[in-house]
Structures are given as C-alpha cells and as structure tokens.
Amino acid sequence: MPRDRFLAIWACLHCVNEEDPQVDKTEKIYKGRPVFNYLVPRFREFFVPQCEMSLDEGMIPTKNKISFRQYIKSKPIKWGIKCFILCDSDTGYIVNAEVYTGKLPDEIPDLGVTGNLVVRLCDLDLIKDQNYMVFTDRFYTTVQLAEYQLKHQGIRLCGTADTRKKTFPK
C-alpha cells in the first residue's frame, strides 16, 4: 500500500467522537478507551479460565510521543505502553487487563500501589469464591495482599515474597 493512501485512511480512522461532551478528555487513553472497554469484557465472555492464573506486566511496542510511554531496559521490548495482564496459566488467554497511565490513588491503603492493582484485576465475579489461584512475581507479592485476597475475594495468591520489604511480618 502506498504511504499516502495509508495516511489518508489513517486520518479518517477514529474510535471516539471528539465532539461528544460526555468524552472525558482528561483521561490519557480516552481515544483508545472504547476499543479497550469493548475487548476486555469479550475476553471474559467467551472463555472461562482454569483455576490457575498468572498476573504480570507486558509492553505494547510503540515509538509514539505519548506521556505514558514507558522504558524498561530489562524487557525485550524496551519502549512502549505498559499493560498489567491477568491471564490463564495454561493457555495464556487474557482474563483482565489494565493500561498503565500513571499512579492511581490507593483504594485500600494497607496494600500499596501494586496490591491495589492486583485487587482491581482480580475483582471479577467470574473468579470470586471459586477456588482460584493467582501466581505473581515478587513485585506484586506481599503477605497483606495474600490475606486480603483470601478473605475478601476468595482467591489464593502464590508468589515469591521479598523478606526485605518493610511490610513483611517479623
């Protein structure tokens, strides 16, 4: 496809009506939010995950000049949009996802930023009180999060705990 034709099509492709007064333009991903809000519920609608799930971050490669683009030197894709993804451990199928656009306020102060992220991603009626287990790496794993999830969501948490964290019980 010629470059000029691609640019002409690209200029007409929109996912959100910019003139709609109900559009929240203060949100950093407001232009892609309708697509994201359409896809993520469909992931859950057509697939029931098995009892083991995994939570980790992933990168969507991009070189665009956007305010929430991340650089992580240890990743194979170093520049991109950071997403936190809850997947089925066997198939890798996405159950829930969240795009990182900056720090959000803590809903549950005792859990911290990463603990609140895990709670938000696991807050699904599909998996609550169904004997599910979520595997995380040490970036997310805390004793307080494991206790909270088991008590409030009925989900078990498995991951490497960092004993050097100040919140680790003695």
Side-chain angles (χ1 to χ4, degrees), residues 75-90:
K75 295 286 185 183
I77 300 168
K78 297 189 182 337
W79 289 97
I81 300 169
K82 188 176 188 179
C83 291
F84 298 100
I85 305 167
L86 181 67
C87 298
D88 182 73
S89 290
D90 290 336

Side-chain angles (χ1 to χ4, degrees), residues 25-66:
K25 292 186 179 180
T26 60
E27 184 184 22
K28 292 182 180 180
I29 60 166
Y30 79 92
K31 289 185 178 183
R33 179 60 67 187
V35 174
F36 195 75
N37 287 346
Y38 178 81
L39 285 177
V40 173
R42 296 306 177 282
F43 292 150
R44 290 189 295 272
E45 186 177 324
F46 297 111
F47 180 76
V48 177
Q50 296 187 17
C51 289
E52 292 89 19
M53 293 186 296
S54 175
L55 190 142
D56 205 3
E57 69 269 353
M59 294 287 274
I60 300 170
T62 185
K63 293 185 179 182
N64 294 349
K65 302 290 185 201
I66 50 178

Side-chain angles (χ1 to χ4, degrees), residues 21-139:
Q22 294 179 346
V23 174
D24 181 17
K25 292 186 179 180
T26 60
E27 184 184 22
K28 292 182 180 180
I29 60 166
Y30 79 92
K31 289 185 178 183
R33 179 60 67 187
V35 174
F36 195 75
N37 287 346
Y38 178 81
L39 285 177
V40 173
R42 296 306 177 282
F43 292 150
R44 290 189 295 272
E45 186 177 324
F46 297 111
F47 180 76
V48 177
Q50 296 187 17
C51 289
E52 292 89 19
M53 293 186 296
S54 175
L55 190 142
D56 205 3
E57 69 269 353
M59 294 287 274
I60 300 170
T62 185
K63 293 185 179 182
N64 294 349
K65 302 290 185 201
I66 50 178
S67 64
F68 54 94
R69 184 177 67 159
Q70 295 283 304
Y71 173 74
I72 303 175
K73 69 178 182 178
S74 62
K75 295 286 185 183
I77 300 168
K78 297 189 182 337
W79 289 97
I81 300 169
K82 188 176 188 179
C83 291
F84 298 100
I85 305 167
L86 181 67
C87 298
D88 182 73
S89 290
D90 290 336
T91 62
Y93 192 88
I94 296 174
V95 177
N96 202 0
E98 183 176 308
V99 176
Y100 177 74
T101 57
K103 185 179 177 183
L104 295 174
D106 291 349
E107 298 163 9
I108 306 156
D110 296 339
L111 297 181
V113 176
T114 56
N116 279 284
L117 171 74
V118 174
V119 169
R120 280 194 309 271
L121 286 174
C122 294
D123 191 22
L124 305 169
D125 291 332
L126 177 70
I127 63 174
K128 276 188 178 177
D129 299 318
Q130 299 290 325
N131 201 23
Y132 276 84
M133 179 177 279
V134 175
F135 294 94
T136 61
D137 60 14
R138 67 184 170 134
F139 181 68

Side-chain angles (χ1 to χ4, degrees), residues 152-169:
H152 294 92
Q153 294 180 319
I155 299 170
R156 295 170 290 146
L157 183 75
C158 181
T160 306
D162 190 355
T163 58
R164 296 172 292 171
K165 287 185 180 178
K166 61 183 175 184
T167 58
F168 193 80

